Amino acid sequence: MSLKERSFEKWENDWIRLRWGDGAPLLRMDFDVCGAVRAATIHATALGVFELRLNGDSVDDIHLPPGWTDYRKRVYVHSFDVSDRIVPGKNVLGALVAPGWFAGFFGPFGDRGYYGHDAWFSCELVLEYEDGTFETIRTSPEWKGALGPISQADLLMGETYDSRKEISGWDTPDFDGSKWKPVSVLREGDERLPESIEPYPGEPIRTIAELPAQSVSEPSPGVFVFDLGQNMVGVARLKIDVPAGTEIVLRHGEMLNDDGSVYTENLRSAKAIDRYIASGGEEIWQPRFTFHGFRYVQVEGLPAGCDPALDTICGVVWMSGLKETASFECSSEKVNRLFSNIQWGFRGNYLDVPTDCPQRDERLGWTGDTQMFIRSATYLADVQSFFKKWLVDLHDAQHPDGGYPDVAPFMGRLGYASAAWADAGIICPYVLWQAYGDTEFIRPWWSQMKNFMALICTDENRHNGPNAQSFGDWLHFNSETPTRLIGLAYRAYDARLMSEMAAAIGEENDRIFFEAEAEKSRDLFRCEFFQGSEIAVKTQTACALAIAMDLLDGEDLEKTKDCLFQGLEEHNVYLTTGFVGTGYLCPALTKAGRCDLAVQLLLNEGHPSWLYEVNNGATTIWERWNSWTEEGGFGDVGMNSFNHYAFGAVCEWMFESLAGIRPASPGFQTLEIVPCFTDRLDYVKASYDSVQGRISNQWKKTSSGWTMELETPVPATVILPNGTSQVEKGRHIFEVPA
C-alpha cells in the first residue's frame, strides 16, 4: 500500500486551533529531516476549510478542502505527494484554517456554526526514508499559532484581509516562531469529532477559468462597477497601487440597479463583501476562504480622483474540477447562448455539492434540483466521482424511516420524503448507472433505496399519501399541480427504475416485487389523474409526467396527449411548468409525436421562456421565470436567484432529441439516434465524450430535406422519418427527405 492509499480508520493526529481570534489563523511546526527521503505524503483535513503550506509555498492548488459533509458523521482527508518538496535539515509544515461550512454562516436560517463554533485542523506528514524507515510529523500541542492578515473568512459574508499584518516568511525554515502562541487541542471524545475519517472520494474545487473585466463604470463618485460579462462563481482578484492603510471594499452581485450600482437585495443576509487593507505599492490579492456568485464587482474606497484600470478586477472561476464532455451548436445564436447559460449554471452550482444557488444565504444541496438536472449534468461533464461523494452525503442524511432529505449534506429544519425531492435517492443512482454503466452507483445503497420505497409505498405517507406534503411543482407559472398526484407519479416511476436496477445487480426477487409495485402504483396514479374517463388534473406538468414516465396506456394515454397539446395551445404554446414539470415537458412532447411543439417552446422569446431570459441579458439560468421582467423589474426579493440550474434541465432534451444522442443500453454501450428534425433551425450539431468514446451527430437543412452525419464509437440504431438503420461504429451519412 502506497503512502497515499493509507487507511484512516485510526486517526492518531490531534485537532488543533489557535485559542482566540476569528478569520484564518496561521499554524506551523518545525521539523528536521536527517536522512535521504524516498517519499513524503501529507494527509490533511479540517473541521472547517484549510490551506496547507510547506517550506514557504502552498502544497496544492485546490480550494476549500476538505469539502462539505455532515461533519458529525464523517470528514474527508486530502492526500498530497510532497516528495520533491522536502529538503535536508530544517523544514516547516504550516496551515491556515477557516470556518467554512463547519463553523461559518450557511443556509437560509441565519445559522452560524451549525456543526461547531470553531475551525480545527489536523494532519500528518509521513516520511519514508531510503533506508526503509518511516517518520510521522503530526498535529500536536507542539504546534504554534498566530493571528495573520485574514481577520474574517466566511463563505457567505466574505473575507477581510489586512496586508499590513502579513508575517513575512512565517511558513519558511528561516522564520523564528518561538514566540508564537501554543495551540489548543480538541480532546478525545469531544462531541464535535466525526464518527469516521476517510479519503476524499470526490473532485476537489479548483480554478477553472479567469474572466477579465469587460467594462467599468462609475455610477456615483468614487464607486466603480466592473462587469465581467458573465455570471460566475468564485472570487474577484484585485490589483491596486494605493497608499498604505487604504481600505478597498468589493461588493458582489448578479445584476445592476437602475442607477448602475450592484444589486444585492436578493442575497438576503449574505453580505458577499470582501475587504482589503493595503500596505502600499502595487498589490495583487484574491480571497482564499470565501466564494461568491456574481457578474458585477462594485469597488469602493479608492483614493479620490483615481481612475481604475480595467485589470483592477479579474474574475477567478471556481468549480469542482470536472472534465467537461459536451458541445452543442445550432443556427440560432440565442439557443447557443441558452446552452452556454446552462453550462455556466452547472459550473457555478457544482462546487463540492450540487447546490441550488451560489450567491445568497442558502447554497444548499437541494435534492429536487439535483435529480431534475442530473441527466443534463451527465452530458455536460464526467460527474462520476462528484456523485460518488454526494451519494454518501445523501445517505448520511437519510431519515431512520427511510425518507430521503430535502437537502444533503444534512441541515436541520428541513424535511424528508418530499415528492420529487426525496426521489433523488432512486433517480440519481439510476441515471448515473445509465450514463456510465457502473452498478456501483446502486449496490452500496440498495438496502437504503429499498427502505425508501417501503416508506412511499404505504397507504399513509408524506410523499404521496392522502395528506401528501411537498414543494409541489415549485415556482410553476400560475398552474398548480396537486402534490399527491406528483408523489404518485414519482412512486410509480421509482418502482419501475428499481425493477430495472434490481435486474442489473442480480436481485431477481426484488425485480419481480418492484415490477408488480410499478403496476400497482400506475393504477393509483391513473385513479388520481382521471375521474372516470375524464382527466381530472389538466396542468402541463401533470400531463408531461404521465407521458414521460410511461404511466398510462391506450386511450388514457391518447387523451393525455391531447390534453397536453390543448393546454399548450391555450397558452399560445408557452409553458406554465415549474421545477418538476419543466424537465419533462419537451421530452413528453417528443414522445407524444409533437417535437414541433417542443421546438416552439425552445424558440419562444416572450415571457415566460428560456430565450426571454437570454434577450434580457441572462448569462446563467434564472430561478424564476419572472426573476426579472420588463414590466415588473426584479421578482420576489425573498427568493430570487439569477443562477439556478433547475430550469436548465431542457439540456437533456437538446442532446437526446434535438441532436438525437441517447443511450440504448447502460454506459452508452449501444446508441439510439432519434433526431428531431425541424425547419425552424438550419443546423444542429452536438458531441458527447461518453465512457465509450466521443459521439457526435450533426444535421443540416437542405433544399430537399436534411443531411445527417453521425460519428459513433459503438453500434447504433438510427431511427429517421424515412426508416430505421442498424449501423456499426464509425462515420455514417444519411439523407433524409422532407
Side-chain angles (χ1 to χ4, degrees), residues 203-221:
E203 286 290 339
I205 301 165
R206 300 186 185 276
T207 295
I208 64 161
E210 293 189 357
L211 302 180
Q214 302 298 299
S215 65
V216 59
S217 60
E218 189 177 8
S220 60

Side-chain angles (χ1 to χ4, degrees), residues 529-539 543 556 559-564:
F529 186 54
F530 276 82
Q531 288 180 349
S533 62
E534 296 300 318
I535 294 174
V537 183
K538 298 184 178 182
T539 64
C543 294
D556 289 345
K559 286 183 177 180
T560 303
K561 291 178 183 179
D562 290 340
C563 181
L564 179 58

